[in-house]
Amino acid sequence: MPRRTPRRWPAAAPAACRPEAPRRRRQPSSQSGDKAAASAAAAARGGATEALLAARFEYETRLRGCGRLAYPCVVASGVRACTLHYMHNNALLSPGDLLLMDAGGSFGGYSADITRTWPLSGTFTPEQRDVYSAVLSVNEACIAAAKGDGGTSIASLHHLSLRLTHEALVQLGVLGPGEARRVSRYYPHNIGHYLGLDVHDTPLASQSQPLLPGMALTVEPGLYFPPDDPQLPAWCRGIGVRIEDDIVIGSDGA
């Protein structure tokens, strides 16, 4: 897996703060998901399909103690990674493509929600690496900014991610300095959501409320460049990347 090893093994938790005892049940859901994704990546050989990787992920999460999937796997190779919530999972894998896997298990009732993107050949092309590095930099910056300091919220993290993504797209030559409004065309979702007993726990909670220590959420920036968008440079068309981590908020950081 090209993703750097996380600095922490974050736990899944509901939006409201929970006591420490359930936290020990949350952690395995995120750990098993990351290890299952790595195992699925190892199974991505010639002749494999997206369906095989989805099945391998579910097998590996159950092998590690998860009772079920937290939600249906998204296994999107090549241009299919540009489709949010792609669900067909039926394409043959091509060695030159990227593979985006959005999946998670449920352990002790607590859900995980992670996304990994990697090159099926084992090596990024220069173009794929540029897009991946841009998304990773936004991911790491937003995790570093996620604090229970009374002033940070998911909404403020999203605004940060929009600004950083625009800066990255300017550096890549995809957008101009005055085109910040076009960022949402290629990054059309929020930076994250609360996480716990449900994958979105709970959607009724305001994303503008300050984050508090013990809250858990996802951090999931992405870039999706449609293959048929004439406004895009040819080099990036058809590349889709998302990197999603589950984090628990502390008073001085995640």
Side-chain angles (χ1 to χ4, degrees):
M1 300 287 287
R3 176 76 159 83
R4 83 277 186 268
T5 301
R7 292 184 294 273
R8 68 202 68 76
W9 283 116
C17 302
R18 298 286 179 168
E20 186 63 27
R23 181 173 294 194
R24 293 193 294 270
R25 298 200 301 272
R26 301 171 198 152
Q27 193 170 6
S29 61
S30 293
Q31 289 179 330
S32 65
D34 215 41
K35 293 176 182 177
S39 179
R45 300 186 177 90
T49 64
E50 294 167 345
L52 185 149
L53 268 63
R56 182 63 177 265
F57 181 89
E58 181 170 3
Y59 167 76
E60 293 290 342
T61 55
R62 289 180 179 273
L63 189 67
R64 290 171 170 80
C66 289
R68 59 178 177 84
L69 293 177
Y71 54 95
C73 292
V74 173
V75 184
S77 60
V79 298
R80 288 163 288 276
C82 299
T83 301
L84 293 182
H85 302 299
Y86 166 83
M87 299 297 292
H88 294 296
N89 296 352
N90 60 1
L92 283 170
L93 305 184
S94 177
D97 286 342
L98 292 177
L99 190 289
L100 184 155
M101 175 178 282
D102 184 338
S106 176
F107 187 97
Y110 289 90
S111 297
D113 183 0
I114 65 170
T115 304
R116 296 291 180 259
T117 307
W118 69 89
L120 289 169
S121 67
T123 304
F124 288 106
T125 66
E127 296 81 7
Q128 291 169 346
R129 182 174 295 279
D130 283 346
V131 177
Y132 185 91
S133 297
V135 174
L136 180 60
S137 68
V138 177
N139 170 276
E140 292 181 328
C142 289
I143 290 176
K147 301 176 181 179
D149 57 4
T152 304
S153 64
I154 292 180
S156 70
L157 292 176
H158 183 60
H159 289 305
L160 172 63
S161 73
L162 289 172
R163 177 173 63 80
L164 295 175
T165 299
H166 179 232
E167 292 174 359
L169 291 175
V170 171
Q171 286 188 330
L172 291 174
V174 175
L175 294 181
E179 295 185 296
R181 290 186 177 182
R182 291 184 59 204
V183 170
S184 59
R185 180 177 178 87
Y186 307 116
Y187 170 36
H189 57 77
N190 209 319
I191 187 60
H193 54 81
Y194 301 115
L195 183 66
L197 297 175
D198 195 1
V199 178
H200 290 253
D201 185 0
T202 169
L204 298 179
S206 172
Q207 296 200 338
S208 297
Q209 68 177 338
L211 296 174
L212 299 174
M215 286 183 173
L217 57 141
T218 66
V219 175
E220 49 181 302
L223 283 170
Y224 317 90
F225 298 128
D228 56 354
D229 187 338
Q231 294 183 314
L232 285 171
W235 68 264
C236 67
R237 295 176 191 170
I239 295 177
V241 173
R242 183 165 63 255
I243 304 171
E244 178 179 16
D245 286 317
D246 303 343
I247 65 172
V248 173
I249 298 300
S251 57
D252 58 353

